[in-house]
Amino acid sequence: MSGSSSSANDPVRPVLKRFLDAVKACDAEAVASVFTEDAVLMTPNEPTLYGVQEIKEWWQEYFEYFKVSDFTETERDVTFFDDAAVERWAYVVTIASIKSRETMRDEGRWLGVWKRGPDGAWQIEQAMFNSILPIGSGTSRFLTRVMERNKGL
Amino acid sequence: MSAPIPSDTDVLLANHERLIAASRGSDVEGFASLFSEDAVFMAPNEPTLYGKAEVREWIEEYVQHFKIIALNDTERDVGIRNGWAIERWAYTVAIAPVKGGETDRIRDDGRWLIIWKRETGNTWKIYRVMFNSIRPVGSGTSRFFSRLTQRREE
């Protein structure tokens, strides 16, 4: 068993930065480029996404409605083994609704499995995220209100 | 993504079944025994738990309030890598609040992403785990908790 979380030898860090920059720039193509062809992404309260095409479509739709205006990392650790890595990181995010201009704040966590390809490039193979904030706050509060409005409540 | 592996070579299958049995049986010790001392446990809408002792306390508190009455796999994928393993599984669960209330059963569909590590004695322990629900906000477990929160605010 081999494992380390040395930041000095952290080849996924620059790719993570590219991913976050792409999210902030609402660039679905660049976001998708960080994932393997057969990647699996499990976003909370939504069906599992299989493959980079579905992931790209998800982000395209997301960017039609939301703009991530701020993203701050609060915690991160990475464990490397062979040609893979497990990354866990936590964040505070500020998201603006494009249509209503409402702003929401959330605190979440990401658990990702990275894979190094034959060309040495690191990409995300599986990932899941969820919120730390209680139900009824953060993003879930916003979405609940949207759903209530849609129902005419 | 790793392809699903046959059950006869799935070294994690026994642990997976123990995890389900402990969950169904409200077995705190059985549940906690599957975690490494340095495990990190990330349940939705809750702070991160660090270490087996915190995981044990969490499940101990959980079973005081909830009883899992059905838990069935709907999908499972395992990839083994030299002392490490990645397990992704999806499930349907039925949960009963122990104290009852306006609902006697909560249904949810969720997923776990588990990183296992092999420890001495060739035992596999959960090193990192996160789970979340597939159901939209306002349904499944979150619907139950939303209503609970609203009642407290009234």
Side-chain angles (χ1 to χ4, degrees):
Chain A
M1 174 170 59
S2 61
S4 89
S5 57
S6 163
S7 58
N9 183 21
D10 183 356
V12 304
R13 167 64 92 180
V15 194
L16 175 66
K17 183 182 182 307
R18 215 171 72 217
F19 169 70
L20 296 178
D21 287 346
V23 170
K24 284 183 196 164
C26 299
D27 184 345
E29 196 78 46
V31 171
S33 73
V34 172
F35 291 84
T36 62
E37 278 299 319
D38 57 355
V40 178
L41 179 62
M42 294 163 277
T43 66
N45 309 110
E46 301 209 38
T48 302
L49 303 172
Y50 298 95
V52 69
Q53 186 57 34
E54 284 191 12
I55 292 168
K56 187 176 140 189
E57 285 169 13
W58 187 88
W59 284 102
Q60 278 171 334
E61 192 179 355
Y62 183 88
F63 294 144
E64 286 173 20
Y65 295 94
F66 301 107
K67 161 85 180 154
V68 174
S69 54
D70 192 45
F71 219 115
T72 305
E73 180 183 303
T74 55
E75 189 184 1
R76 181 170 177 268
D77 82 58
V78 189
T79 305
F80 290 94
F81 46 97
D82 300 333
D83 286 335
V86 171
E87 181 189 38
R88 176 182 68 81
W89 55 283
Y91 53 85
V92 175
V93 65
T94 308
I95 305 165
S97 162
I98 288 173
K99 291 190 178 168
S100 71
R101 300 190 181 277
E102 286 176 90
T103 299
M104 66 201 105
R105 206 163 167 279
D106 209 346
E107 293 175 49
R109 290 162 300 208
W110 175 281
L111 180 62
V113 179
W114 292 79
K115 181 183 178 183
R116 185 168 54 197
D119 59 353
W122 288 87
Q123 288 184 298
I124 298 167
E125 189 181 47
Q126 300 196 55
M128 176 183 282
F129 58 97
N130 67 20
S131 176
I132 293 167
L133 296 183
I135 288 165
S137 60
T139 313
S140 76
R141 175 168 168 264
F142 175 83
L143 293 177
T144 304
R145 280 154 54 202
V146 169
M147 284 168 59
E148 284 170 353
R149 279 203 298 270
N150 289 346
K151 285 179 193 165
L153 295 175
Chain B
M1 182 176 65
S2 311
I5 58 174
S7 59
D8 58 347
T9 59
D10 183 355
V11 294
L12 290 179
L13 185 59
N15 277 19
H16 177 76
E17 287 171 350
R18 274 200 285 275
L19 182 66
I20 289 181
S23 301
R24 282 184 186 146
S26 302
D27 177 0
V28 172
E29 298 307 330
F31 189 90
S33 72
L34 292 163
F35 288 79
S36 67
E37 289 298 330
D38 57 352
V40 179
F41 182 89
M42 293 165 278
N45 309 109
E46 301 210 35
T48 303
L49 304 177
Y50 300 93
K52 184 179 177 176
E54 284 194 10
V55 175
R56 192 192 169 286
E57 284 173 19
W58 183 88
I59 190 70
E60 191 170 40
E61 191 179 353
Y62 184 90
V63 301
Q64 286 171 16
H65 298 281
F66 300 104
K67 165 79 180 157
I68 292 176
I69 47 182
L71 179 59
N72 296 300
D73 288 354
T74 54
E75 186 185 358
R76 185 165 172 269
D77 177 276
V78 178
I80 312 268
R81 285 174 171 138
N82 190 27
W84 297 85
I86 317 294
E87 181 183 27
R88 186 184 80 247
W89 65 285
Y91 57 86
T92 295
V93 64
I95 306 163
V98 170
K99 293 179 182 170
E102 66 180 69
T103 181
D104 61 357
R105 192 169 293 200
I106 307 157
R107 282 186 62 85
D108 209 347
D109 297 291
R111 298 161 293 208
W112 281 51
L113 180 58
I114 310 177
I115 317 302
W116 296 83
K117 71 172 172 177
R118 192 168 57 208
E119 298 192 336
T120 48
N122 206 26
T123 57
W124 289 86
K125 300 287 181 185
I126 295 173
Y127 175 63
R128 301 281 184 264
V129 61
M130 180 182 284
F131 57 99
N132 67 21
S133 175
I134 292 168
R135 295 208 175 190
V137 171
S139 63
T141 312
S142 78
R143 176 167 168 264
F144 176 82
F145 283 109
S146 296
R147 281 152 59 199
L148 207 61
T149 307
Q150 282 166 6
R151 279 206 302 272
R152 281 180 187 157
E153 287 172 353
E154 282 168 6

